[in-house]
Amino acid sequence: MTEPATATSTEPPRKAGAEPPAAPTPPRAPSTTGWLAFSALAWLLVTLLFYRTAFTGEAGDWSLVMAAILLPQVIQANLLAGAAVGLWSTLALGRRKPWAERGVGRWAVGTAAGLLTGTLASGAVLLAYGMSARAVGVVAVAVGVAGALGGALGAIRPARIMAAGLSAALLVLIFLNVVALFSTPLLNAFGSGDTAAERYSANGLLAGTTAIIAGLIAGLAAYWRIRRAAARSGDTAKWPVYLAAGAAAGLLLIVAEFCTRLGVAQLLSLAEADISADSEILSFIAASRLNTGLVVLFVGALTTTIAYGRSLPKAVRD
């Protein structure tokens, strides 16, 4: 009779007390910040091309007032593009150079990327169409500062919160600009008439409704982006992550508003005639933009928190 064959292991014997081999590291999920940066840059280009008529070479105080009215949209797009490019730059360079993802290096890379984005993109389009010689320096500095500040915001961590917040901010800016494009029929739908009281009431109703809807968009978009990122990485995000991501779009609008006020003040100081009436109208519009940012911040944060709570499993009673 033959003895049964004994199965032997081909692996070399492991010494006593030796640690088992480490499990292979799973491949990192592909980052979507590159597409986010591309989308933000595309929106910046669309904004600059659409509002280029406000930055013409025509002389006079009227051109300064028109530039002051439409400068906020350019500042917002610059801030968003700078933040998205700054976020992508720090993550992409940090994978190859560890110093670019730590401490001062991360802030330097993000700020430089945002400054380069704001300067090149805005300068190329604005100079191509020409501006008043008195105002070109003011606008160039304003958009450059907005881009650099956006790049610094892109260096904030966790990156998951920034990516979700910037994605939501992009959708909010698109929505706000679409509303502004159709403002006349919308104001008529809200009861705008021939009297100042009717116009003031319609403006308030439209601004409030727009801000609430924008906040809902910001909250739902940020919630979806966080859930998607958590599913790719295989972990579970806590409620503060959702809260911060939902508030990020409103925070970006508020930061853009403060940058805008500095630029608008410098533009109006170049006027030769008395434009106090125009200044009062611009102050009213600026207050409305700030209120919109605050509403988007709080409604967005509340929406993501509620959506997160609704996603939790219900407790089972005994």
Side-chain angles (χ1 to χ4, degrees), residues 181-240:
L181 185 63
F182 297 98
S183 59
T184 300
L186 289 174
L187 286 173
N188 293 333
F190 278 95
S192 179
D194 298 329
T195 64
E198 291 176 339
R199 291 192 294 270
Y200 183 83
S201 175
N203 272 289
L205 290 174
L206 177 59
T209 304
T210 301
I212 293 175
I213 296 176
L216 292 173
I217 293 174
L220 293 176
Y223 170 78
W224 176 81
R225 184 66 188 263
I226 291 293
R227 284 293 299 268
R228 185 181 178 187
R232 285 202 310 267
S233 59
D235 59 1
T236 302
K238 302 300 183 181
W239 69 266

Side-chain angles (χ1 to χ4, degrees), residues 139-161:
V139 174
V141 171
V143 296
V145 169
L149 187 56
L153 291 177
I156 296 176
R157 293 296 182 268
R160 176 185 300 181
I161 294 178

Side-chain angles (χ1 to χ4, degrees), residues 288-314:
S288 178
R289 287 196 304 267
L290 182 59
N291 291 336
T292 298
L294 291 172
V295 172
V296 172
L297 188 150
F298 288 109
V299 173
L302 185 62
T303 300
T304 50
T305 305
I306 293 176
Y308 169 74
R310 296 282 298 176
S311 67
L312 295 176
K314 296 181 180 181

Side-chain angles (χ1 to χ4, degrees), residues 21-39:
T25 304
R28 179 181 294 182
S31 175
T32 58
T33 54
W35 285 107
L36 175 61
F38 175 80
S39 301

